[in-house]
Amino acid sequence: MRYLILSMMVVFMFVGCSSQPTTEMNDAKAAVDAVIAEGAEKYAQVDAQKLNDDLAAAMAEITTQEGKMMKNYSKAKEALVKVKADADTLKAGLPAKKEEAKQSAITSQTDAKTAIDDAKALLAKAPKGKGSKADIEAMKADLKGLDESLPEVQKLIDTEDYSAAIEKANAIKEKAAGVSDQINQAMEKVGAKAEVKK
Amino acid sequence: MADDQARNLWRAGVSEYLPVEYNKYTADLKTAKDDIAKEADRFVLFRDYKPYIQRFKDILVLGNEILVKVEIEKAKKADSLSEQISSFKTIISNLQKFTLKINEGRLARADLMKADLLLNEVELRYKKGEYAAAEAKIDDLSMYLKSAEDSLSPIIGRYSDRSQVEKWQKWAEDTVAESREKGIIVIVVNKSKRTLSIYRDGELMKKYSVGIGRNGSFDKIHAGDNATPEGKYKITKKLPASRYYKALLINYPSDQDRKQFILAKKKGLVPNKAGIGGLIEIHGGGSDTMTFGCISMENRQMDEIYNMVKVGTPVTIVGAVHLENSISSALGGK
């Protein structure tokens, strides 16, 4: 009888330790899926990636234990609980991250508009030197193209695609700065010529 | 494991690249999961999971095959996108350079800028592996590029048209021949080269850079079109003091121009109140300017030709004299 009880305890212990942490697995996966669905990959790319990696590591640990005679899922269970907690934390902080991304997009949009306005103002003062008339017309048209692209940034902000909005705004800003550089170079040239003439 | 694989397949974008295979995979997985759940509901002694092990193994094999396929598809898409990006870069660069060679270039620059911005976005998405998003942007990019090309194609078309160029060539040759035969000075203006050449006794004496109309690559049809006329003209008046330094008035519109104007009017190509225009001159004011249709030169060069020519001196204005001209060959690298 004593042996029977002992052997039952051993069997119970092994069964207890050898069953996969299904609940934790499901909870962790559901929590990660929920935070991804909320847009974590858009607004908290690094955190989302870390969550995915942690979940994958926990699942890999389960696979490792599955192949063992003496299975021990305690480490995987612990990791899964942590993944769920991290996912929940990230989900709770996502509105703030989203707002942060939105504000960055709005700042980039403003910067792009300022860069266009600066280039326009500079163009109005551009030197009317040799070969400049056609160049000025070309630059005016370039700025028109940039100006007409700005509403697309607003559209991206409206659809909450803030990273795309930032990319577009930055590209516009860069091109507008390029136009300003060209005008400045032309102004420097004219300035240098005027110096020589004196 | 199957759940993890399904997640990986979804993350790899299989539903987008291989939707049929992905739907079959997810359907198989769902059925297997439903069936195994039913099995689990049976009394413990009657449960038999062996058939399910094989089913799940088959699903995993299918999933792995799909993953391999999708990687191949992605690589193909990446190659195709890379080629397209490179091609669009060349096209945009060539068009941008071309637009700086003609006064009408401004008409295409805004669209080219928009196309350039989109190309930038396509590249960013390509680098991130977001191929479908990159392809979607390419459609918009192509639209702007087409619009830019449409603005320039009437010009490129004229300067690539063999019969048009041969006509210009003949006018120029006839004018030089007249100079040789009569022993007189003649002027030939080449719009694509932006040059004014002076011939005496059929020999080239001098060549100057000139400016032409704001829409100077086109032939003048009516007042206000800012185009520079093409044809065989003569100097009708020498103006020692004009608005633009000295000027040489030519006899635009000629009879040929009048016929052309009437024809264009019939075709509805002339605004209602527009006349045929006039007062086309070779004048000073600088060779870099964009005129209303006249030919402009540097003042000191204007002094030179003003003293060389007289009323009646032939002035022939052509677009180009070679089929391979700076406009027709501008997009050669495209």
Side-chain angles (χ1 to χ4, degrees):
Chain A
M1 187 64 187
R2 210 170 58 185
Y3 286 114
L4 181 66
I5 293 169
L6 192 65
S7 58
M8 277 181 74
M9 278 178 70
V10 168
V11 167
F12 178 76
M13 193 176 77
F14 271 100
V15 168
C17 291
S18 65
S19 61
Q20 284 191 357
T22 319
T23 310
E24 288 79 4
M25 268 164 62
N26 291 339
D27 287 353
K29 280 178 185 175
V32 172
D33 283 347
V35 78
I36 297 292
E38 288 283 315
E41 285 179 329
K42 259 187 189 175
Y43 310 117
Q45 212 174 351
V46 178
D47 294 334
Q49 185 60 48
K50 191 181 175 301
L51 263 186
N52 274 322
D53 292 347
D54 291 350
L55 179 61
M59 297 308 289
E61 171 61 17
I62 290 170
T63 310
T64 308
Q65 292 303 324
E66 270 173 3
K68 286 182 178 175
M69 189 73 165
M70 300 282 282
K71 303 177 198 326
N72 183 353
Y73 292 107
S74 57
K75 197 177 153 193
K77 196 175 169 180
E78 204 178 297
L80 287 166
V81 169
K82 189 177 180 306
V83 166
K84 186 192 177 304
D86 289 348
D88 290 344
T89 309
L90 183 59
K91 195 179 171 191
L94 218 50
K97 296 252 182 198
K98 213 168 162 179
E99 186 56 31
E100 201 181 301
K102 186 181 176 182
Q103 289 310 318
S104 294
I106 291 170
T107 306
S108 299
Q109 184 189 31
T110 309
D111 289 351
K113 195 183 177 317
T114 307
I116 294 174
D117 289 344
D118 288 351
K120 277 183 189 170
L122 213 51
L123 197 58
K125 295 191 291 181
K128 310 287 185 285
K130 196 172 176 62
S132 64
K133 191 82 182 276
D135 296 343
I136 287 171
E137 293 266 342
M139 285 189 272
K140 261 186 199 168
D142 287 351
L143 291 176
K144 184 173 178 271
L146 293 174
D147 228 356
E148 288 173 358
S149 297
L150 259 182
E152 286 171 39
V153 177
Q154 186 57 51
K155 268 188 206 166
L156 289 166
I157 292 173
D158 293 343
T159 54
E160 299 186 343
D161 196 349
Y162 302 126
S163 59
I166 292 169
E167 278 170 11
K168 182 116 200 168
N170 286 346
I172 291 173
K173 184 183 160 188
E174 199 181 299
K175 298 274 178 198
V179 174
S180 290
D181 284 349
Q182 284 180 53
I183 303 166
N184 280 326
Q185 280 168 16
M187 282 171 125
E188 275 172 26
K189 261 189 194 174
V190 171
K193 274 184 190 171
E195 283 295 315
V196 170
K197 275 184 183 172
K198 278 178 192 173
Chain B
M1 275 175 85
D3 275 343
D4 288 342
Q5 187 184 56
R7 182 191 294 267
N8 288 339
L9 284 169
W10 180 73
R11 292 217 184 286
V14 177
S15 57
E16 181 187 304
Y17 292 99
L18 300 165
V20 178
E21 285 91 336
Y22 183 66
N23 287 342
K24 184 188 178 318
Y25 173 86
T26 49
D28 285 359
L29 181 61
K30 188 180 179 308
T31 314
K33 281 166 82 176
D34 290 347
D35 290 349
I36 208 168
K38 280 179 200 160
E39 192 65 38
D41 286 343
R42 296 177 70 187
F43 182 62
V44 67
L45 292 176
F46 297 115
R47 285 178 202 161
D48 177 12
Y49 290 111
K50 272 182 194 165
Y52 298 103
I53 292 171
Q54 191 51 48
R55 273 178 75 178
F56 276 101
K57 273 185 183 171
D58 290 346
I59 289 168
L60 286 172
V61 168
L62 176 66
N64 284 336
E65 282 173 3
I66 293 174
L67 261 178
V68 170
K69 268 192 198 172
V70 88
E71 288 310 319
I72 293 169
E73 284 296 314
K74 271 187 174 180
K76 272 189 204 165
K77 203 151 258 189
D79 285 349
S80 158
L81 270 169
S82 169
E83 273 176 33
Q84 287 186 77
I85 289 169
S86 166
S87 163
F88 280 126
K89 268 188 184 173
T90 310
I91 293 171
I92 291 174
S93 166
N94 284 344
L95 282 171
Q96 279 174 335
K97 282 180 200 158
F98 175 61
T99 56
L100 294 176
K101 287 184 180 176
I102 54 170
N103 290 350
E104 297 83 352
R106 69 188 185 279
L107 303 172
R109 297 282 299 192
D111 283 329
L112 280 177
M113 182 57 91
K114 289 176 198 170
D116 205 14
L117 282 171
L118 283 169
L119 184 60
N120 186 61
E121 288 178 49
V122 169
E123 262 197 292
L124 281 171
R125 269 150 190 70
Y126 167 75
K127 283 177 187 165
K128 285 182 185 172
E130 296 169 3
Y131 302 137
E135 277 186 339
K137 293 275 169 194
I138 278 185
D139 290 343
D140 293 344
L141 189 162
S142 302
M143 187 187 75
Y144 285 124
L145 219 46
K146 189 182 174 302
S147 174
E149 284 176 331
D150 286 349
S151 309
L152 301 172
S153 60
I155 299 166
I156 297 167
R158 293 191 77 223
Y159 288 78
S160 309
D161 178 355
R162 182 177 292 275
S163 64
Q164 177 68 70
V165 174
E166 281 175 356
K167 188 167 87 177
W168 286 333
Q169 197 174 29
K170 189 167 183 321
W171 287 350
E173 284 170 359
D174 287 352
T175 307
V176 175
E178 188 183 354
S179 162
R180 191 182 305 112
E181 284 158 19
K182 294 182 181 171
I184 56 169
I185 282 178
V186 296
I187 292 172
V188 176
V189 176
N190 183 322
K191 296 202 291 185
S192 64
K193 285 190 172 172
R194 306 270 185 97
T195 56
L196 182 151
S197 303
I198 307 242
Y199 291 85
R200 175 180 277 164
D201 302 329
E203 296 295 324
L204 179 67
M205 269 176 69
K206 278 266 190 181
K207 194 182 266 189
Y208 305 98
S209 289
V210 294
I212 57 175
R214 189 172 151 84
N215 296 322
S217 303
F218 291 104
D219 189 10
K220 187 164 189 64
I221 304 290
H222 59 82
D225 61 9
N226 293 327
T228 298
E230 293 156 11
K232 295 171 82 172
Y233 304 100
K234 286 188 189 308
I235 293 171
T236 52
K237 202 171 191 179
K238 290 175 76 176
L239 302 161
S242 83
R243 192 174 168 192
Y244 303 103
Y245 194 58
K246 293 175 182 174
L248 303 165
L249 185 71
I250 65 169
N251 61 328
Y252 173 87
S254 64
D255 292 344
Q256 184 59 34
D257 294 324
R258 286 181 204 285
K259 281 181 198 167
Q260 194 172 269
F261 174 75
I262 291 163
L263 200 66
K265 191 118 188 164
K266 277 181 186 167
K267 285 183 183 172
L269 301 172
V270 179
N272 276 343
K273 288 179 183 172
I276 193 168
L279 290 176
I280 297 294
E281 300 171 339
I282 299 169
H283 58 61
S287 61
D288 61 307
T289 56
M290 283 200 279
T291 68
F292 297 115
C294 295
I295 291 144
S296 62
M297 304 177 71
E298 296 299 322
N299 289 347
R300 57 188 168 79
Q301 294 173 339
M302 192 62 215
D303 281 336
E304 280 179 36
I305 78 156
Y306 191 86
N307 293 328
M308 275 189 249
V309 301
K310 57 184 182 183
V311 168
T313 295
V315 175
T316 295
I317 306 170
V318 298
V321 289
H322 298 293
L323 201 54
E324 273 292 302
N325 53 71
S326 61
I327 296 177
S328 70
S329 59
L331 302 181
K334 188 180 160 184

